[in-house]
């Protein structure tokens, strides 16, 4: 039977609860304990698929096609597992399920209430993941902050779990923030005391408190939290801000958290081995020469919108022992005259996924710049559609080629709705989602990157390459280096007369791992690192 680690957050949001949950996965896995993870999101959307990136950051897609919170990406990268739809639970899903049961008549005669019906449904989701994953430990992160009205049912559900599955099988970890007062030069514990009080009020006594802080935490502060919050002294864990998120498992391990969890849950642990992770962090923290990569997107003001893309770039750079200097370029800035000056220092250009017409012309300009100046280009989903539009405009000598997403009446709809999307009215969960196979063409950049001929990649799109234009663009130098096994869908395309201009209709960023970069990102960075920036001097002596 699985044991459960429940993680709640206090004081403020955005203190790294997700990274902490993921890191707990890393340190348990380093002891050969099998782990799975689940995120509970209190909002009423069924999934974040319909949310603007400005509201929610990136939508992470699982292999089985669930649109989920970006924390699932952190769990996958830190625990090195592929999660499934069961790992993402929202209030919207819970209420939909309860109401569907009510309409079916499952509760005939009964009054449907938050307690017990909604709570029971939530607990079912915990048990479903435990059952499906067969993990020894299931880590469950409650989104939001203790005290939020929306979060109450989740907290009640995790409270009941201690009674349901037994005291020794459940652990509560509370992640808080200790603010620093400049005037008195001290970190303060009162907000933490209050949030623990709030937890206790609903019947949860945390076993461990993880204190995030930007400033060192003295022993006196630990004593105080231990006393007022009634947790063992060694269960008050300081987590200072670190330079890379990948350092968090090491900091927590150093503080004794791994052993503490093993003891408290009486887990069957092996000797821990974090050597690979330590090596990863050592290499990440060593100075490395940066590569300038321009990320041209719609939502660059909020970096979380491209969380997995940014991580995948860092993983790839590390592979080549280089660092990434990411130039965040709002695509609209490339729409005005002279905008391309922003790209001048870029050694590689990446255009990530996105929806809607805003900023598209700027992205197309970036693709023109990459093609004409032979700058390595990696297009992800929308980035592939942009590359196709740009190339078609060049080949046809017209500004009219477009995607019907942006211009429904274009005479050259080089990107058009997928056949199965015609007639789809509702927006939620109706895209082409999750893993689909892709057959690679020998001799292409894509095939050489992957080193295999059949791959499965995660999708999230409604539009696709329009086959009517396939032959014409091929003659002009576009190579369809990855296609669906029946040949109907273009999955990867690249340009023959370009050092490395490769795009894919899927999202490779979701599959990248810190110690195992995605092949397309790895090769993109591999080529970009040798591009000389404008004004940069080649290293001497020059090789012949
Ligand atoms: N908007 C495009 C489509 O729906 C691209 C989607 C994406 O980049 N994820 O096909």
């Amino acid at each position: 039977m699985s044991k459960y680690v429940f993680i709640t957050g206090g004081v403020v949001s955005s203190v790294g609860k997700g990274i902490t949950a993921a890191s707990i996965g890393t340190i348990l896995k380093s002891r050969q304990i099998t782990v799975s993870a689940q995120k509970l999101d209190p909002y009423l959307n069924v999934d974040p698929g319909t949310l603007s990136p400005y509201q929610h950051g990136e939508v992470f897609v699982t292999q089985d096609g669930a649109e989920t919170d970006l924390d699932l990406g952190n769990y996958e990268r830190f625990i090195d597992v592929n999660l499934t739809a069961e790992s993402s639970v929202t209030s919207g899903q819970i209420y939909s399920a309860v109401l569907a049961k009510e309409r079916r008549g499952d509760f005939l005669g009964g009054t449907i209430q938050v307690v017990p019906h909604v709570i029971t449904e939530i607990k079912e989701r915990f048990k479903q993941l435990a059952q499906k994953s067969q993990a020894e430990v299931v880590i469950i992160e409650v989104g939001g902050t203790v005290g939020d009205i929306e979060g109450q049912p989740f907290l009640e559900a995790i409270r009941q779990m201690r009674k349901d599955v037994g005291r020794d099988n459940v652990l509560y970890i509370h992640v808080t923030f200790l603010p620093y007062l400049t005037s008195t030069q001290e970190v303060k514990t009162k907000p933490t005391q209050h949030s623990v009080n709030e937890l206790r009020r609903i019947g949860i006594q945390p076993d461990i408190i993880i204190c995030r802080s930007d400033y060192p935490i003295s022993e006196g502060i630990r004593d105080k939290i231990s006393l007022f919050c009634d947790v063992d002294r060694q269960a008050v864990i300081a987590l200072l801000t670190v330079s890379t998120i990948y350092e968090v498992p090491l900091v927590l391990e150093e503080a004794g958290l791994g052993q503490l969890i093993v003891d408290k849950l009486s887990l069957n642990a092996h000797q821990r081995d974090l050597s690979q992770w330590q090596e990863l962090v050592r290499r990440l923290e060593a100075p490395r020469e940066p590569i300038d990569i321009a990320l041209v997107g719609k939502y660059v003001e909020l970096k979380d919108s491209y969380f997995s893309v940014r991580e995948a770039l860092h993983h790839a750079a590390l592979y080549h022992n280089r660092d990434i200097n990411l130039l965040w370029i709002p695509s609209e800035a490339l729409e005005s005259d002279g905008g391309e000056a922003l790209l001048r220092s870029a050694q590689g250009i990446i255009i990530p996924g996105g929806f809607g017409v805003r900023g598209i012309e700027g992205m197309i300009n970036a693709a023109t710049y990459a093609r004409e100046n032979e700058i390595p280009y990696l297009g992800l989903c929308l980035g592939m559609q942009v590359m196709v539009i740009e190339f078609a405009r060049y080949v046809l000598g017209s500004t009219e080629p477009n995607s019907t997403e942006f211009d429904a009446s274009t005479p050259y709809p080089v990107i058009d709705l997928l056949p199965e999307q015609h007639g789809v009215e509702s927006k939620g969960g109706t895209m082409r989602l999750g893993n689909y196979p892709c057959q690679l063409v020998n001799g292409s950049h894509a095939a050489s990157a992957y080193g295999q001929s059949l791959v499965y990649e995660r999708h999230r799109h409604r539009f696709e390459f329009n086959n009517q234009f396939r032959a014409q663009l091929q003659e002009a130098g576009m190579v369809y280096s990855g296609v669906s096994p029946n040949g109907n869908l273009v999955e990867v395309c690249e340009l023959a007369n370009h050092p490395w201009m490769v795009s894919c209709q899927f999202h490779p960023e979701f599959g990248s791992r810190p110690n195992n970069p995605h092949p397309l990102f790895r090769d993109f960075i591999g080529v970009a690192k040798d591009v000389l920036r404008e004004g940069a001097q080649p290293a001497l002596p020059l090789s012949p």
Side-chain angles (χ1 to χ4, degrees):
M1 194 192 73
S2 301
K3 306 204 173 203
Y4 296 88
V5 173
F6 291 108
I7 301 182
T8 53
V11 181
V12 284
S13 58
S14 306
V15 286
K17 195 153 39 83
I19 300 289
T20 304
S23 300
I24 288 171
T26 312
I27 58 182
L28 292 179
K29 201 177 168 192
S30 78
R31 293 170 163 82
Q32 294 179 42
I33 296 165
T34 54
V35 184
S36 192
Q38 187 176 61
K39 173 80 192 278
L40 311 177
D41 275 307
Y43 49 71
L44 286 173
N45 302 63
V46 171
D47 61 42
T50 51
L51 280 170
S52 154
Y54 288 128
Q55 296 265 324
H56 194 266
E58 161 187 287
V59 172
F60 186 82
V61 182
T62 55
Q63 287 190 340
D64 61 348
E67 294 171 281
T68 73
D69 186 80
L70 62 78
D71 271 332
L72 265 78
N74 289 320
Y75 305 159
E76 289 207 358
R77 288 183 282 270
F78 277 68
I79 311 174
D80 196 12
V81 283
N82 289 316
L83 300 171
T84 56
E86 285 77 11
S87 285
S88 175
V89 175
T90 67
S91 297
Q93 284 170 26
I94 297 295
Y95 281 100
S96 301
V98 172
L99 295 177
K101 285 181 185 169
E102 187 275 336
R103 291 290 84 183
R104 251 194 347 247
D106 290 9
F107 312 114
L108 268 191
T111 307
I112 316 309
Q113 292 175 303
V114 172
V115 184
H117 301 96
V118 168
I119 307 299
T120 305
E121 185 68 35
I122 296 171
K123 291 192 295 181
E124 278 308 307
R125 304 301 168 108
F126 303 159
K127 292 168 193 164
Q128 270 166 21
L129 177 64
Q131 182 68 30
K132 179 157 181 186
S133 67
Q134 291 291 312
E136 288 162 88
V137 176
V138 177
I139 299 167
I140 296 179
E141 178 192 347
V142 186
T145 308
V146 167
D148 297 346
I149 292 174
E150 303 86 352
Q152 300 282 334
F154 288 125
L155 294 174
E156 172 60 12
I158 72 171
R159 183 193 71 78
Q160 291 186 11
M161 284 295 280
R162 178 162 263 181
K163 205 166 137 295
D164 285 11
V165 299
R167 212 153 270 279
D168 300 335
N169 298 321
V170 169
L171 192 71
Y172 299 109
I173 300 183
H174 191 51
V175 182
T176 74
F177 181 68
L178 306 186
Y180 180 81
L181 283 191
T182 326
S183 55
T184 50
Q185 299 190 337
E186 54 179 352
V187 293
K188 306 298 285 179
T189 65
K190 192 69 80 186
T192 296
Q193 296 178 37
H194 282 307
S195 82
V196 169
N197 275 347
E198 187 67 18
L199 264 183
R200 285 203 193 126
R201 199 178 58 79
I202 48 183
I204 297 171
Q205 166 63 43
D207 300 289
I208 295 170
I209 299 179
I210 296 182
C211 305
R212 282 275 294 105
S213 171
D214 294 330
Y215 292 84
I217 296 165
S218 67
E219 289 307 304
I221 293 285
R222 279 183 77 188
D223 286 338
K224 204 164 162 183
I225 294 171
S226 165
L227 178 67
F228 288 118
C229 301
D230 200 18
V231 291
D232 299 339
R233 201 172 170 287
Q234 88 266 22
V236 180
I237 308 261
L239 178 55
L240 261 61
T241 309
V242 282
S243 60
T244 148
I245 52 173
Y246 298 108
E247 201 183 330
V248 174
L250 301 183
V251 174
L252 295 178
E253 179 59 40
E254 179 78 7
L257 183 63
Q259 193 56 45
L260 201 61
I261 297 176
V262 166
D263 292 344
K264 287 196 184 275
L265 285 177
S266 311
L267 294 168
N268 213 341
H270 289 72
Q271 185 75 24
R272 69 144 199 247
D273 178 7
L274 270 169
S275 53
Q276 276 194 19
W277 204 269
Q278 281 158 337
E279 176 60 9
L280 169 77
V281 172
R282 189 195 61 72
R283 292 185 55 220
L284 274 170
E285 286 177 346
R288 289 161 292 139
E289 198 188 330
I291 311 171
D292 286 356
I293 298 293
L295 186 150
V296 180
K298 263 176 89 170
Y299 322 103
V300 291
E301 301 86 344
L302 185 73
K303 312 276 184 278
D304 276 4
S305 310
Y306 304 109
F307 205 106
S308 294
V309 175
R310 184 183 57 189
E311 292 310 302
L313 284 168
H314 282 291
H315 305 158
L318 189 67
Y319 175 91
H320 296 286
N321 221 6
R322 301 289 288 271
D323 202 356
I324 294 279
N325 179 27
L326 201 47
L327 314 168
W328 299 91
I329 301 182
S331 48
E332 281 165 302
L334 298 177
E335 289 175 0
S336 44
D337 280 349
E340 66 174 45
L342 290 168
L343 297 172
R344 242 173 235 151
S345 70
Q347 294 166 277
I349 295 174
I350 186 160
I351 300 196
F355 297 82
V357 70
R358 181 172 68 82
I360 290 297
E361 293 301 319
M363 294 179 201
I364 294 173
N365 290 342
T368 308
Y369 181 88
R371 182 175 54 75
E372 290 179 347
N373 295 285
E374 304 203 331
I375 303 294
Y377 175 101
L378 177 59
L380 310 173
C381 203
L382 176 64
M384 175 180 124
Q385 300 175 355
V386 162
M387 173 175 147
V388 171
I389 297 168
E390 194 282 329
F391 194 65
R393 288 184 181 187
Y394 160 70
V395 172
L396 296 163
S398 157
T399 54
E400 287 184 305
N402 216 328
S403 161
T404 50
E405 180 181 3
F406 316 127
D407 177 4
S409 57
T410 169
Y412 308 106
V414 288
I415 303 291
D416 199 6
L417 266 191
L418 284 153
E420 69 259 30
Q421 289 290 330
H422 288 284
V424 171
E425 295 278 331
S426 99
K427 293 276 182 261
T430 55
M431 280 185 264
R432 181 172 184 241
L433 289 166
N435 260 14
Y436 284 92
C438 166
Q439 195 83 48
L440 298 164
V441 174
N442 262 344
S444 61
H445 286 310
S448 106
Y450 280 101
Q452 60 195 96
S453 56
L454 182 70
V455 294
Y456 288 80
E457 292 282 8
R458 305 182 199 193
H459 293 68
R460 181 172 182 249
H461 63 117
R462 280 185 213 287
F463 294 81
E464 60 154 342
F465 188 104
N466 183 346
N467 287 334
Q468 272 177 29
F469 296 89
R470 218 145 129 175
Q472 197 173 8
L473 298 191
Q474 185 169 21
E475 268 163 43
M478 183 165 270
V479 179
Y480 307 111
S481 45
V483 288
S484 56
N486 64 7
N488 277 349
L489 301 175
V490 173
E491 292 278 5
V492 192
C493 62
E494 47 192 81
L495 292 190
N497 304 316
H498 189 285
W500 208 91
M501 192 151 181
V502 181
S503 285
C504 47
Q505 189 54 77
F506 44 79
H507 289 276
E509 65 270 25
F510 297 140
S512 181
R513 301 283 198 261
N515 275 319
N516 190 14
H518 189 281
L520 292 178
F521 278 85
R522 187 199 62 216
D523 282 14
F524 167 61
I525 294 299
V527 184
K529 76 180 193 315
D530 296 326
V531 171
L532 284 182
R533 275 162 290 160
E534 197 173 273
Q537 294 295 320
L540 291 172
L542 285 172
S543 43

